[in-house]
């Protein structure tokens, strides 16, 4: 179980971004954190991953205080983070990246399975470099593949729908459903897409740096939708279409 206690953080220009956040994330659940832009969602995700250190408060993973642990140590402890805009690695192939994430050499059959789960054909991608020749949708799915290969206890995804085409978005929903149903571990997704909210076990609303509501997905959905600012794939296709 992940627990955040009284987390605060201010930007370098002294703007308060998080204002005393208390949050408990149960094990083996898909939790979606949503809310208006600028509310503190991405900052909170980076603090969980260890990319950003809170000004005050504590972070506990299974009752162990990990507040002072950096991103590398948290990765070893089983926390993974998928960036809103994935990093590209010139000179590293997709195979090398996935095997690095897995921590071992993988058989071709296993590589096919991992890439197939994110809608990519291993034959066409394993030897490609993770560089600018890949589209936004392709690089996003490869990053998801590395998370599947690692099979971490806590995976954080920051707006995974950003910059991908509509087909990839639909496939993304299937990937998350599969991860929730077939893999042990907790998923935290930062998103304001309705279709992602609809598959959540729990939904957390954050606004102006504070948690304003948290509860079961089915109980929270109507409240979230009525609050405005939620996107649907059908009406926002142009915003997630990747040329």
């Amino acid at each position: 179980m992940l627990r955040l206690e009284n987390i605060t953080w201010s930007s370098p220009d002294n703007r308060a971004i998080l204002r005393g956040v208390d949050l408990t994330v149960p094990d083996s659940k898909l939790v979606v954190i949503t809310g208006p832009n600028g509310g503190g969602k991405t900052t909170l995700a980076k603090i969980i991953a260890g990319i950003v250190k809170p000004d005050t408060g504590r972070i506990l993973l299974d009752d162990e205080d990990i507040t002072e642990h950096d991103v590398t140590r948290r990765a070893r402890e089983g926390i993974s983070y998928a960036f809103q805009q994935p990093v590209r690695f010139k000179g590293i192939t997709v195979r090398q990246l996935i095997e690095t994430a897995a921590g071992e050499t993988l058989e071709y059959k296993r590589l096919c399975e991992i890439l197939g789960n994110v809608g990519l054909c291993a034959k066409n991608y394993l030897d490609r470099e993770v560089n600018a020749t890949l589209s936004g949708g392709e690089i996003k799915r490869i990053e998801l593949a590395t998370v599947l290969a690692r099979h971490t206890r806590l995976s954080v995804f920051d707006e995974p729908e950003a910059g991908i085409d509509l087909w990839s978005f639909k496939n993304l929903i299937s990937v998350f459903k599969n991860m929730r149903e077939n893999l042990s571990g907790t998923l935290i997704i930062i998103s304001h897409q309705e279709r992602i909210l609809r598959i959540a076990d729990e939904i957390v609303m954050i606004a102006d740096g504070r948690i304003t509501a948290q509860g079961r997905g089915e109980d929270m959905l109507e409240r979230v939708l009525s609050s405005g600012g939620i996107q649907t794939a059908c009406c926002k296709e142009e915003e997630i279409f990747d040329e």
Side-chain angles (χ1 to χ4, degrees):
M1 178 181 293
L2 177 74
R3 193 164 76 249
L4 281 68
E5 299 177 348
N6 193 34
I7 297 295
T8 66
W9 188 81
S10 295
S11 63
D13 60 0
N14 292 320
R15 288 186 299 113
I17 305 300
L18 296 177
R19 309 165 185 262
V21 170
D22 293 309
L23 175 64
T24 297
V25 179
D27 291 335
S28 302
K29 298 292 184 181
L30 192 161
V31 178
V32 177
I33 300 177
T34 192
N37 290 333
K41 301 187 300 297
T42 290
T43 300
L44 186 61
K46 289 181 177 180
I47 283 176
I48 292 171
I51 298 169
V52 171
K53 183 179 178 180
D55 295 331
T56 66
R58 294 199 309 162
I59 305 166
L60 297 101
L61 183 63
D62 294 337
D63 294 324
E64 178 188 358
D65 191 334
I66 63 169
T67 311
E68 299 300 322
H69 298 184
D70 62 17
V71 62
T72 301
R73 185 168 176 182
R74 290 193 201 182
R76 294 195 190 104
E77 292 165 339
I79 298 177
S80 63
Y81 180 85
F83 289 87
Q84 188 176 133
Q85 297 297 330
V87 179
R88 298 173 188 268
F89 302 91
K90 186 176 180 180
I92 296 178
T93 66
V94 172
R95 179 196 291 269
Q96 291 171 327
L97 186 63
I98 293 174
E99 291 184 336
T100 299
E104 60 180 336
T105 300
L106 300 176
E107 295 182 355
Y108 183 78
K109 181 179 179 181
R110 177 58 180 152
L111 289 164
C112 284
E113 179 183 345
I114 291 170
L115 286 172
N117 282 335
V118 296
L120 298 177
C121 174
K123 180 180 178 180
N124 296 335
Y125 283 91
L126 282 178
D127 295 325
R128 288 188 63 177
E129 285 191 18
V130 188
N131 58 23
T133 64
L134 295 167
S135 71
E138 289 171 325
I139 196 71
K140 183 78 71 170
R141 282 180 272 172
I142 289 167
E143 184 179 49
L144 281 171
T146 65
V147 174
L148 289 173
R150 286 192 64 200
H151 192 190
T152 49
R153 61 201 287 196
L154 175 63
S155 302
V156 183
F157 300 88
D158 185 11
E159 296 196 22
E161 69 273 10
I164 63 173
D165 58 88
L166 186 58
W167 184 91
S168 295
F169 177 72
K170 291 177 179 178
N171 191 66
L172 186 69
I173 301 298
S174 298
V175 171
F176 285 136
K177 284 181 178 179
N178 180 63
M179 291 178 73
R180 182 186 64 182
E181 294 168 3
N182 300 312
L183 298 177
S184 60
T186 300
L187 308 178
I188 298 176
I189 305 175
I190 309 299
S191 180
H192 43 78
Q193 280 285 348
E194 181 180 347
R195 289 188 62 183
I196 291 180
L197 289 164
R198 288 190 179 278
I199 65 172
D201 294 310
E202 291 202 9
I203 294 175
V204 177
M205 291 182 66
I206 184 169
D208 195 28
R210 296 183 175 90
I211 301 295
T212 58
Q214 179 178 3
R216 293 195 312 163
E218 57 190 41
D219 297 332
M220 287 285 296
L221 186 60
E222 185 175 347
R223 178 174 180 175
V224 174
L225 294 177
S226 65
S227 70
I230 303 304
Q231 296 181 359
T232 60
C234 60
C235 67
K236 294 291 182 178
E237 178 177 347
E238 71 279 3
E239 294 186 10
I240 60 172
F241 187 78
D242 174 34
E243 296 292 310

